[in-house]
Amino acid sequence: MIKVLFVCLGNICRSPMAQIVFENMLREHGLENNFEIDSAGTEGYNEMCHAGIHRGTKEVLKRNGIPFSEHYSRKMQKKDYDYYDYIIAMDTENIKDIEYIVGFDKDNKVKRLLDYTNNPRNIRDPWYTGNFDETYDDVVEGCTAFLNYLNL
């Protein structure tokens, strides 16, 4: 069982989008039983108010025919580092925040999603940009590259 945690700041836009897109890819390849996938945020403010997936994320997933169920924000915890095999951040700031939560990445588990592509970069936060389509395209690119990296 390969355990993957996608992480962004608030766990309502990018990381649940990546979780859902990757889970859909796994289903399409018949690999869903080989994985445990979740997402979390580095901040807990959305968890405190029991925030679900942002409406912009829901809309872009629906437009692209990606099925999903509700996900409620949760803050990443130190114990997540030991539990998950891959901790995949959306941007460099997320990595700094993850290291603040878990300490030094001694097992080299933490990477940005787009580090698995031929064009490593941050995934911009649509909470601030309003561009959920751009985020979706980046997430699909990153999830595709990550699945190829796993070579299953």
Side-chain angles (χ1 to χ4, degrees), residues 8-9 13-18 90-91 94 123-126 135:
C8 68
L9 181 64
C13 297
R14 294 173 293 171
S15 60
M17 184 187 296
M90 300 298 116
D91 64 37
N94 299 153
I123 296 178
R124 294 176 5 153
D125 192 341
T135 299

Side-chain angles (χ1 to χ4, degrees), residues 4-67:
V4 181
L5 181 66
F6 293 99
V7 181
C8 68
L9 181 64
N11 192 218
I12 61 171
C13 297
R14 294 173 293 171
S15 60
M17 184 187 296
Q19 174 186 353
I20 292 163
V21 166
F22 194 64
E23 287 171 337
N24 189 62
M25 286 180 179
L26 294 174
R27 273 191 305 277
E28 288 176 349
H29 288 87
L31 297 170
E32 66 272 21
N33 294 329
N34 300 336
F35 286 83
E36 181 179 334
I37 312 297
D38 198 3
S39 63
T42 58
E43 296 294 331
Y45 44 80
N46 287 324
E47 180 180 45
M48 289 187 302
C49 58
H50 197 63
I53 300 169
H54 189 282
R55 67 179 166 4
T57 294
K58 289 179 179 179
E59 289 169 8
V60 77
L61 291 170
K62 286 177 187 173
R63 275 197 314 275
N64 286 282
I66 308 294

Side-chain angles (χ1 to χ4, degrees), residues 65-129:
I66 308 294
F68 64 92
S69 56
E70 189 60 83
H71 168 87
Y72 293 99
S73 176
R74 77 171 184 90
K75 183 177 182 195
M76 183 180 183
Q77 300 175 23
K78 186 175 177 91
K79 67 182 180 181
D80 289 329
Y81 186 83
D82 293 325
Y83 186 76
Y84 289 95
D85 302 307
Y86 296 91
I87 299 173
I88 302 178
M90 300 298 116
D91 64 37
T92 306
E93 287 302 312
N94 299 153
I95 290 178
K96 291 176 187 174
D97 293 340
I98 290 167
E99 290 175 343
Y100 179 79
I101 294 167
V102 304
F104 178 69
D105 180 18
K106 64 184 180 349
D107 297 326
N108 199 31
K109 294 181 178 188
V110 181
K111 301 232 183 314
R112 294 178 304 176
L113 181 57
L114 293 177
D115 286 343
Y116 294 96
T117 71
N118 292 328
N119 184 15
R121 62 197 185 279
N122 290 330
I123 296 178
R124 294 176 5 153
D125 192 341
W127 174 263
Y128 300 106
T129 69

